[in-house]
Amino acid sequence: RLMFPMITTLEEMRRVRTLVRRTERQLQREGKPVGRVPIGMMLEVPAAAVALDLIMEVVDFVSIGSNDLIQYLMAADRDNPKVNHLCQPLSPAVLRMLNHVVHSCNQASTPVTLCGEMAGQPRAFALLLGMGLRNFSMSPAFVPRMKQLASKMAVADAEQMLQRVLELKTAAEVGRYMTKQMRRLLPEFAILDSI
């Protein structure tokens, strides 16, 4: 598989596909075997998220780069202590955008994965499950904990939490609600969340 980062427009993705096809033809002329290579994008740019229905016409899979997507959506450098407080995974704007992306991919039967710190945070992970996300990429240190969480959490509970969260107006409200729900449903995970 080939995944291309920082895609912003349909035109860029079309250009990428043209370059890949050109390379395939060159390899065939040289007598080298060429198989079908799925081509995907790393979704990090809010403009691409908004126009995802257009871009999905030319991608085989989507990987959400949550760290960069959150940073660019909130227009705040996550490494700058003066503004990094704006880079909240539980922000209503972030959750609404991610819900749109996951729903769009699932509707189009386009495989979607999320990578980044958010995948290893229990409250965020539960909401992503509720959105319909089933593929996560995370630091190996988080895999056992998130695997355990996924095995203990009912999808119906995650979907119900998401529906309530999408009605909330601030990251603080979302955080409080999710902490309360995690304590109620899975108390062993509530204390592990750092977001």
Side-chain angles (χ1 to χ4, degrees):
R1 299 192 326 163
L2 290 174
M3 180 170 65
F4 294 87
M6 300 304 291
I7 297 297
T8 304
T9 65
L10 172 62
E11 292 86 354
E12 287 177 318
M13 208 60 227
R14 283 179 173 165
R15 179 75 178 135
V16 162
R17 289 195 83 90
T18 298
L19 293 172
V20 170
R21 282 194 300 272
R22 186 179 300 158
T23 303
E24 288 172 345
R25 286 192 300 271
Q26 180 181 344
L27 290 170
Q28 288 169 343
R29 282 192 301 272
E30 295 171 6
K32 297 183 176 150
V34 177
R36 184 188 180 287
V37 179
I39 297 172
M41 65 177 286
M42 176 69 79
L43 194 142
E44 302 152 292
V45 180
V50 171
L52 187 58
D53 60 321
L54 304 174
I55 299 172
M56 278 195 302
E57 294 174 5
V58 294
V59 297
D60 299 312
F61 64 93
V62 173
S63 181
I64 303 166
S66 63
N67 295 347
D68 284 337
L69 182 60
I70 292 169
Q71 175 175 268
Y72 299 140
L73 178 63
M74 304 309 286
D77 180 356
R78 65 182 181 264
D79 295 324
N80 181 336
K82 292 181 180 179
V83 293
N84 65 4
H85 65 280
L86 296 171
C87 294
Q88 296 291 325
L90 297 182
S91 162
V94 170
L95 294 173
R96 287 175 182 201
M97 176 157 284
L98 289 172
N99 190 48
H100 163 73
V101 168
V102 173
H103 178 75
S104 297
C105 289
N106 288 342
Q107 283 288 106
S109 299
T110 300
V112 59
T113 302
L114 182 132
C115 63
E117 294 173 20
M118 190 174 185
Q121 299 169 339
R123 293 181 294 181
F125 186 91
L127 292 171
L128 293 165
L129 279 177
M131 291 175 194
L133 190 68
R134 298 296 181 262
N135 297 303
F136 300 83
S137 174
M138 64 189 74
S139 168
F142 295 116
V143 171
R145 175 171 72 165
M146 294 301 101
K147 193 173 178 182
Q148 185 183 11
L149 174 59
S151 71
K152 291 186 174 201
M153 173 156 283
V155 171
D157 288 332
E159 290 170 344
Q160 191 173 43
M161 284 187 277
L162 175 67
Q163 290 311 308
R164 175 66 182 121
V165 159
L166 292 176
E167 297 170 358
L168 300 176
K169 297 179 181 178
T170 68
E173 289 175 4
V174 173
R176 284 191 298 271
Y177 172 79
M178 287 305 296
T179 297
K180 182 178 174 184
Q181 294 306 306
M182 294 298 284
R183 284 183 183 147
R184 181 178 67 82
L185 295 170
L186 302 160
E188 65 272 32
F189 289 95
I191 60 169
L192 297 175
D193 211 337
S194 60
I195 56 175

